[in-house]
Structures are given as structure tokens and as C-alpha cells.
Amino acid sequence: MDFASAAPSVVKSIKQRDLLNTWLRLYARQQAAPAIWEYQPARLEEELSDLIYYTVDNSPATPRLTIQSEGTRISRAYGHTGKGILLEDYVGLRLAPFVMPVYHECVARGLPVYSVAEVDDIYGRVVAYERLLLPFLTDEKVSHVIASLKTFCEDGGFEIKNLLRGNDALPRPKLRTVIDRELFHRAPGRIAAADVVEFADQPGGPDITAEIIELN
């Protein structure tokens, strides 16, 4: 499975961007994914229904992820909760080829992975399924992953119950990216170091003067 290189701007959901920006601020300190206990986004409680926490077992040749969350909104899309279950067993043989490579890429790269797929609800309405994966390290290995899962339908309402199991149509991947560029977060309204700002007198003729200051 091929993954495109992307900057954080590839993520369109405002709430997912907030989650990513918190991760980026922690990443920027040592250019490495943070520990799970350091990650405390603002208003986290508001997002918990769309988040799934996983632990990662790196001892097998192919890492294994175990679900640590239950009662999430996305569990309705799969038809049941999955706490304590291996992710590959939870999604099943039919969906594993579409799901597992995305998680494995996140673990292997230690970087956020963002993907979009289209699925059909039980009434045939097209639903965009947006997944943002954030990795976290322990002893320099990815030990945890947090997934933010969002669903969106241009037609408005849709049926989330059994969304990923309720029909024979498989997910249609539209975008698979590793966020490996511009791995920093610039707060809105701030001037970055080394930006050049020019100050000029009011317009008034050929004698206008200007001063250029470089910010470091």
C-alpha cells in the first residue's frame, strides 16, 4: 500500500487538526513522538466518543494493536465494542486488508498517518470516513496509538449503525498519507523567527525611508 507525503494541512477536520497540533507541539521538542502520558489536548473529553486508544506489541514481526477503548461512537459502525480485542480480529478478515496497513505504517514511521475512505450506509448514502492516527513512544518504540475517527456525509444525515459491516460494498480508499512535512505548529497570529518585517514612514514622496528588521 502506497502512502503520499503530506503536511498537517491535509487534515480538514478542525477538531482533528487541534488534536494533531497538540501532538506537533510535543514532537517539536526532540523531533520524536511524545509519550502517551504527555498528551493532554484541550477539551479532550469532548472528543472521547470519536477516539480509540490502542496499545502496541512490538515483539512479533508484525506489530499487534489491542483496543483499549469501549463505548465509542465508531463501535456502532462496527456493530459492537472491542475493548481488549486485537484490532485485526475486531475488523475481521474482510476489512483487515484496508485497515491494518494504515496502522502498521503509523507504527513503523512513528509519525501521524491520515487517510480518507468512502463507505456506503445501509441506505446507499456515501459517507466519508476520515482517520487520523497519532503514535506515542516508550523506550524509543511506538507503544500506543490514538485514532481519531470522523464520518461525514454531504447529503446530511446517514445511518452509522453497522456502517462498516452493514452491506457488501468494501471501503473505497481516497487518500492515504504520512504527515512527514512541516512537523511544527505555528500558533495563529505569531511571527516566526527569521521572518522579515519592513516598517515604512507614511506615504508622502520620494524621501520615504524604510527600516528592515529580521526577527530571530
Side-chain angles (χ1 to χ4, degrees), residues 51-174:
L51 299 182
I52 300 179
Y53 288 69
Y54 303 89
T55 52
V56 181
D57 179 5
N58 286 288
S59 57
T62 301
R64 308 181 81 182
L65 292 93
T66 300
I67 300 169
Q68 300 299 330
S69 306
E70 63 180 350
T72 60
R73 181 171 175 266
I74 204 63
S75 66
R76 295 180 59 200
Y78 279 98
H80 59 88
T81 61
K83 185 175 182 179
I85 300 175
L86 289 172
L87 178 59
E88 60 200 82
D89 294 338
Y90 181 73
V91 300
L93 292 176
R94 179 172 172 269
L95 292 176
F98 296 89
V99 175
M100 298 310 301
V102 182
Y103 285 84
H104 291 157
E105 187 74 8
C106 177
V107 173
R109 297 288 299 274
L111 292 171
V113 171
Y114 177 71
S115 61
V116 180
E118 289 183 350
V119 293
D120 299 328
D121 74 359
I122 59 174
Y123 301 109
R125 289 173 291 210
V126 177
V127 180
Y129 179 58
E130 303 173 7
R131 179 193 291 113
L132 173 66
L133 303 182
L134 300 173
F136 298 88
L137 298 183
T138 300
D139 297 329
E140 300 183 350
K141 292 184 179 180
V142 175
S143 57
H144 297 80
V145 171
I146 295 178
S148 170
L149 308 172
K150 298 291 185 181
T151 47
F152 170 76
C153 180
E154 290 187 354
D155 295 334
F158 63 94
E159 178 55 65
I160 193 171
K161 185 178 180 181
N162 293 325
L163 178 65
L164 297 172
R165 295 187 187 273
N167 56 64
D168 293 331
L170 291 168
R172 300 178 293 278
K174 297 297 180 181

Side-chain angles (χ1 to χ4, degrees), residues 177-189:
T177 65
V178 175
I179 298 175
D180 58 2
R181 295 189 282 114
E182 300 178 21
L183 294 176
F184 58 86
H185 171 56
R186 181 182 297 179

